[in-house]
Amino acid sequence: MVRYQQRGGQGIVSWTGDPMWLADVLRAERLAVVEHPGWRHRGHGDFEAIWGVMVHHTGSSNTPANEVADGHPSLAGPLSQLHLARDGTVTVVAAGVAWHAGVGRWPGLPEDNANWHTIGIEAANNGTEGWSDVQYDAYVACCAAILRRLGRGAERVIGHKEWAGAKQGKWDPGGMDMDRFRADIAVRLKGGALMALSDHEQRELLDKVRGVHRELTHDLPTRVADSDYSDTIAGYVLNSDAADYRNEQRLRALELKLDQLLTEVGLERRR
Ligand SMILES: [Zn+2]
């Protein structure tokens, strides 16, 4: 099937082209990446604006990547852009549109038209066997890598069952709580902010943080006589708070004393 259909964007305006960056961003996320021969030129035409990611299970524990790349007699491949193996290896099989979504609906996506707007990931899993830590973590990382590139949050990941559950009775990815999956992706996106920087940028940022830390902790003379330790800004602030408190107590005591004296001489202090 080599049909290429141009569809209306229906409110989606930012066209970013085909995701030629897939292999790069996955590698940057420290995933084991295999590039299917010619993946940059494979697909059923060009993407429209990419909204996000749709995740699937293949229905079998050991579906090889080339089955997702080539499809089957009734549906010519690619069946998604990425294949995720049980051991966490990701194979990039296509940069163009793939047949993975079918009819369905989801807020923000044009009805029955998700293939042109979502990057599909097919994970080798029969849907009832559960998800090993290694495959689940790689799934989270895959989605995070793509969302980071798109500049989107975890809400832009949906399961095929969320898209097509009502229209097609799809239940993939089986055994996966999508809200929990999105929460895990959100955590990964947050934690990965540093990782998204280049090595050089990371070193620069760490040097800056070290500098601030040094200023906060090591460049102040100690307030304790004969101590080898230097003081901290926090120590100075606490110390000045304590001095404030002591002065306040002294003032109170003086006021009380004054009141007593005035009472003794038969006068009352005017307040
Ligand atoms: Zn599916």
Side-chain angles (χ1 to χ4, degrees), residues 49-223:
I50 300 173
W51 176 90
V53 182
M54 191 179 296
V55 295
H56 306 257
H57 70 231
T58 58
S60 148
S61 311
N62 291 303
T63 313
N66 61 341
E67 256 179 50
V68 170
D70 299 334
H72 45 77
S74 68
L75 203 58
L79 302 181
S80 69
Q81 283 75 27
L82 303 179
H83 167 274
L84 174 62
R86 282 158 67 90
D87 69 357
T89 302
V90 198
T91 305
V92 188
V93 303
V97 167
W99 306 141
H100 65 93
V103 296
R105 67 162 68 98
W106 187 259
L109 278 167
E111 190 161 355
D112 301 339
N113 186 20
N115 285 332
W116 283 264
H117 299 283
T118 55
I119 290 170
I121 308 174
E122 286 281 0
N125 191 292
N126 68 16
T128 57
E129 66 192 296
W131 298 85
S132 67
D133 285 348
V134 65
Q135 195 179 21
Y136 183 84
D137 290 347
Y139 222 161
V140 167
C142 266
C143 293
I146 295 167
L147 294 170
R148 225 190 281 290
R149 180 64 174 71
L150 294 175
R152 300 293 184 184
E155 74 283 354
R156 290 294 182 95
V157 172
I158 55 172
H160 199 192
K161 57 190 173 189
E162 293 176 304
W163 166 256
K167 284 204 171 190
Q168 301 180 61
K170 292 287 184 187
W171 59 285
D172 66 310
M176 190 180 280
D177 176 334
M178 292 308 301
D179 288 331
R180 156 107 201 275
F181 186 57
R182 280 185 282 265
D184 290 336
I185 293 168
V187 167
R188 173 116 193 171
L189 281 171
K190 239 185 263 170
L194 187 62
M195 220 172 73
L197 299 173
S198 71
D199 286 354
H200 175 70
E201 287 169 327
Q202 284 188 30
R203 265 195 300 277
E204 264 187 354
L205 186 60
L206 284 174
D207 280 347
K208 265 182 207 155
V209 170
R210 277 196 201 102
V212 171
H213 182 258
R214 202 176 304 118
E215 278 180 37
L216 285 175
T217 56
H218 293 299
D219 284 349
L220 296 168
T222 181
R223 287 171 292 113

